[in-house]
Amino acid sequence: MVYSVKLNTEIPVQVTSKSYYLNGLGNFTRYTVKDNRIPVGYVDLQDTSHGCYVMYIKNQNPTLYKGFGKTADQIEVEHCLKRNIEKPVIASEAKFNTHITHFKRGKRFIDEGINIFLQDLIENMKKGEQYLTGILGAQKMFMPQNLVNKYMEIIKKAPLLK
């Protein structure tokens, strides 16, 4: 499900995938998310022995759809469950000015100082205020087990992958 700005409500989406193997680099999967024929976004994952590495997520129509990050998070967990990984390790990297968005969604950074900094920043932000976090650079992050568990419960009720 993603949030449709036009309809002002959550709507169901369809997810398709294409997997490929790059010799020496491993297995990769691109999940494409659509609202009927309208592209919503995509998620690129690389398989790891204990889960997956999120190469990239992209909301292709941010003026039409909100909350794609949550959809991407669910796809990441569901991808690992389909590979029979019960306690997946899902890692990724925050790029230029995406740190707060990922942190608010529940992802955490390897560098605990960044987690503390972002928590303090968020707690002291005024409504409507935005901060550019590009100065932090690319930072490695992960999905904590409590967030993985949350998505496992959602998946039991409403899986996205067929």
Side-chain angles (χ1 to χ4, degrees):
M1 303 267 277
V2 294
Y3 183 82
S4 168
V5 174
K6 185 178 179 181
L7 299 175
N8 200 27
T9 189
E10 295 275 328
I11 59 166
V13 291
Q14 300 82 39
V15 181
T16 59
S17 66
K18 182 177 181 183
S19 296
Y20 51 96
Y21 176 79
L22 292 177
N23 197 16
L25 295 175
N27 292 316
F28 294 83
T29 306
R30 169 168 279 188
Y31 290 96
T32 303
V33 179
K34 292 182 179 179
D35 167 16
N36 292 319
R37 291 184 302 268
I38 301 170
V40 175
Y42 60 89
V43 182
D44 290 342
L45 303 177
Q46 179 181 17
D47 289 349
T48 63
S49 59
H50 299 293
C52 66
Y53 184 82
V54 183
M55 304 293 290
Y56 199 75
I57 68 170
K58 172 82 172 159
N59 181 342
Q60 291 177 276
N61 283 299
T63 57
L64 296 177
Y65 304 102
K66 302 291 181 201
F68 183 70
K70 291 178 183 178
T71 301
D73 288 347
Q74 181 175 338
I75 289 170
E76 295 158 20
V77 173
E78 208 163 330
H79 173 83
C80 293
L81 293 175
K82 287 202 168 285
R83 293 179 52 225
N84 296 315
I85 299 172
E86 294 178 21
K87 289 193 174 193
V89 175
I90 300 171
S92 54
E93 193 172 280
K95 303 292 186 204
F96 189 74
N97 288 328
T98 64
H99 306 84
I100 290 176
T101 303
H102 292 299
F103 188 84
K104 282 183 168 181
R105 248 187 18 250
K107 299 270 181 115
R108 291 300 175 257
F109 293 89
I110 302 295
D111 181 339
E112 186 58 30
I114 292 174
N115 295 322
I116 294 166
F117 171 73
L118 292 174
Q119 183 66 42
D120 185 58
L121 197 61
I122 290 166
E123 287 173 0
N124 292 299
M125 285 175 81
K126 293 178 178 78
K127 186 175 174 106
E129 196 171 35
Q130 294 183 337
Y131 283 97
L132 300 178
T133 58
I135 194 167
L136 297 173
Q139 292 291 327
K140 294 186 184 311
M141 62 185 177
F142 64 96
M143 185 183 294
Q145 191 60 47
N146 65 327
L147 191 56
V148 170
N149 293 342
K150 171 188 163 187
Y151 283 109
M152 285 179 165
E153 290 304 312
I154 291 169
I155 291 163
K156 286 179 186 175
K157 297 173 190 164
L160 290 172
L161 306 182
K162 305 296 178 212

